[in-house]
Amino acid sequence: MAFTPLHDRVLVERVESDEKTSGGLIIPDSAKEKPAEGLVVAVGAGLKDEDGDRIAMDVKEGDKILFGKWSGTEVTLEGKELLIMKESDIMGIIA
């Protein structure tokens, strides 16, 4: 992909949720919420501290993450719908 996020920004692809509940009910598209899970596609180099040194990013490409429901800005790159968000919008990495 020809896109590199800047500073502490992360490019994320949403991970689609199951179409059935644990009880076997099928969830229609109109009732689905956008998932708050995603896969990190690309990361920026990180912010710089007061001395000009880079602060390392806590996430890396390929990490599965959990983020806030309203986090990020939706963009379309190479036909894929992705999110660009700051690293601080990410709540955690799913193991």
Side-chain angles (χ1 to χ4, degrees), residues 54-73:
R54 288 269 181 210
I55 301 170
M57 299 283 281
D58 290 327
V59 295
K60 61 186 180 309
E61 288 183 29
D63 283 348
K64 189 172 181 182
I65 59 166
L66 185 66
F67 54 88
K69 186 174 183 178
W70 306 108
S71 299
T73 301

Side-chain angles (χ1 to χ4, degrees), residues 2-80:
F3 181 83
T4 302
L6 297 177
H7 309 295
D8 67 335
R9 289 183 176 78
V10 180
L11 187 65
V12 176
E13 182 176 4
R14 288 186 191 271
V15 175
E16 295 299 322
S17 59
D18 293 335
E19 296 183 5
K20 289 185 179 182
T21 64
S22 58
L25 298 174
I26 297 174
I27 303 169
D29 288 338
S30 60
K32 288 183 187 175
E33 287 188 22
K34 290 187 177 179
E37 290 182 19
L39 192 64
V40 176
V41 176
V43 297
L47 290 176
K48 290 186 178 183
D49 63 15
E50 294 174 4
D51 297 326
D53 298 324
R54 288 269 181 210
I55 301 170
M57 299 283 281
D58 290 327
V59 295
K60 61 186 180 309
E61 288 183 29
D63 283 348
K64 189 172 181 182
I65 59 166
L66 185 66
F67 54 88
K69 186 174 183 178
W70 306 108
S71 299
T73 301
E74 293 183 357
V75 295
T76 302
L77 295 172
E78 297 178 2
K80 287 186 177 181

